Amino acid sequence: MKKKFRETFFSVSSRYGSYSLGAIALVVAIVIVANLIVGQLPENVRSVDLSDNKIYEITDVSRKLVKDLKQPVAITVLAQKDQVDKRIRNFVEKYAGLSSKITLEWIDPVQHPSALSKYDAQADSLVVSCEDTDKQRVISFGEIITYDQMSYYTTGSMQETAFDGEGQLTAAVNYVISSQGRQVYYSTGHGEETFSSSVQGLLEKANYTLEECNLLMNPDIPEECELFIMNGPSTDVTADEQKGILDYLQRGGKVMILLGDGEKSTPNLDAIFKEYGLEREQGYVADIQRSYQQNPYYIFPELSLGEEYAKGMSSEMVLLINAQGFTQTDPAREAITLNSFMNTSSDGYVVTDKDEKQGTYVLGAVATETISVNGVSGNQAKGAGDDGKSSDASGEEDGLESRLTVLGAGSMIDANVTDTFSTLENLTLFMNAVGANFGEDASISIEPKSLEVTYNTVQYPGLFSLLVIFGIPVIVLGFGFVTWLRRRKA
C-alpha cells in the first residue's frame, strides 16, 4: 500500500500536477501583490478613461493650473460616498490626485448635519475652498451632470446632456486662489440679445462678474468696468452714448461689440467703428466658397488667429449666420493698430435689396491703441518704446491699452447655433476674444463634455445598401469559387 502510494505521489503526472499547482499559486500571489501596489497609487495614475465621451480626460489647461498651485486647496464633498454617481466620484478623486496641494474629504451630511451649516451648502454638493484667500465656491452635483428638463414632458424622464466636472472644478479652483475677479458690464436698451445659458455659464466659470449697464440712463461707462460688451444691438446708440463709449476707450477701456440686425441704419455705432479703422458695409455678407450646405449666408470664415485667440482650438471651424462685413480704412489716429482675425474668402459678397458687391470682407477684428495717463496716444508720446507704451526717464511705463473688438454676427454665440452645431468652436473663439482683453491674466473656462448619444450616419445610404446587399455576397462567393477551382485542379 505504501509502495503504491509512493509510486503515485512520485509519478511523472504527479510531478507535473505539483508544478502546475505551484505555478498557479505563484501567479495568484503576483496578482494579489500587484493589486495591492496599484491600489496605493493615486486615482489619476491608476484610472484609464474608457468612456465614450472621454469625460475623465483632463486638459492641459487644468493640469497647468493645478501644477502651479502655491496655496493649498481643499475639496469637501457633502454626500454619502457610496450613493454618489460613480462618474462624479471617480472624476473628483482623479482631479484631487493631480497635486499634493489639493486635499479631498468626504463628509456624510446624514451623520454630520452641522457640516451643511458650516459650509453654507446643500447636500449632494462639493465645496472648493482656500484658507489663504478665505474664499470658497459651492458646486452642486446638478451643475456637474446637467439634464434636459424639457425632455421630461416628452419622454417622461430627464435626459442627461453634459458632464462638466473639469469645467466646474477648474473654475472653482481658479476662483478661490485668485485675489479678485473681472468686472464685465453688458449693455441694454438697444434690443440686445441676452446671453445664452451656455455663454453665461462659461463667463461665470471664467471668474467674470456680470453687471447690466443701461447707457440710456447714464451714458458714462462705470470706472470699475474692465470690459464692456454689446451683444447684438438692433438699434443705434445715441450721440451721448457714442461719446460715452469713445471716452471710455480713451481712458484705456475695453469694448466688445457683436453686431445684430443688419437692416437698420446705425450711423453712431458706425462712426465708432470708422474711428478705429473699420467701415461697415450695408447689407448681409454671403460667401459662395465657404458656406454651409450651399447656403451662402451660413459662413465658415477664414481664421487668422494669433496665440491668444487660438487657445483650445483644433478644427478652427466657426459658423456665422447673417453676418455683417467691414472693409478696412485709415483709423482716426496713427497710434491705432487694426488686426482682422475673421474674413470671408475672395468670393464674399455684400448683398442688399438693390445690388451685391464682391470682395473680401472683415468679419472679426480687434483695434488697439496705447493711451498715456495724460490722454496722449502712446505712439505720439515722447520717449515711446517699440511696444507703443510711453516711458518716463526712469523707464517706467505709463501707457494704457484701449481695445475695441468687433464681431460681425451675434449669431456666433446664439444658442440656436452653438447647441445645434456642438462640434463647432464658436464659444471657444468667443471666450478667447474675451480673455484676450486681459492678456496673461485671462481667466480659465472649460466647456462641458456632451453626454448625448452620437449616432454614426452614412453619407450615401443608397450606395451603402447596395454594397451590403449585393457587393459583399458577390465577393464572398467569388473567393469561394476561386478556392474550389484551385483545389479541384490540384
Side-chain angles (χ1 to χ4, degrees), residues 391-465:
S391 305
D392 57 19
S394 62
E396 294 183 358
E397 296 176 341
D398 64 353
L400 298 173
E401 183 184 70
S402 66
R403 191 179 184 98
L404 173 64
T405 306
V406 182
L407 299 172
S411 62
M412 176 177 170
I413 60 172
D414 187 274
N416 293 324
V417 176
T418 59
D419 293 348
T420 304
F421 304 93
S422 58
T423 58
L424 296 175
E425 295 181 319
N426 288 30
L427 294 182
T428 303
L429 180 57
F430 172 74
M431 290 303 298
N432 287 347
V434 171
N437 289 280
F438 306 110
E440 295 180 355
D441 295 327
S443 298
I444 297 170
S445 185
I446 297 170
E447 292 186 55
K449 296 180 175 68
S450 174
L451 291 177
E452 296 179 1
V453 178
T454 303
Y455 297 97
N456 292 326
T457 57
V458 180
Q459 188 173 8
Y460 302 105
L463 295 176
F464 184 77
S465 300

Side-chain angles (χ1 to χ4, degrees), residues 71-73 128-137 172-180:
Q71 309 101 316
V73 173
V128 180
S129 58
C130 178
E131 187 175 349
D132 291 357
T133 60
D134 195 27
K135 295 173 70 175
Q136 76 168 37
R137 174 169 285 181
V173 170
N174 188 43
Y175 168 75
V176 300
I177 65 174
S178 302
S179 57
Q180 61 180 5

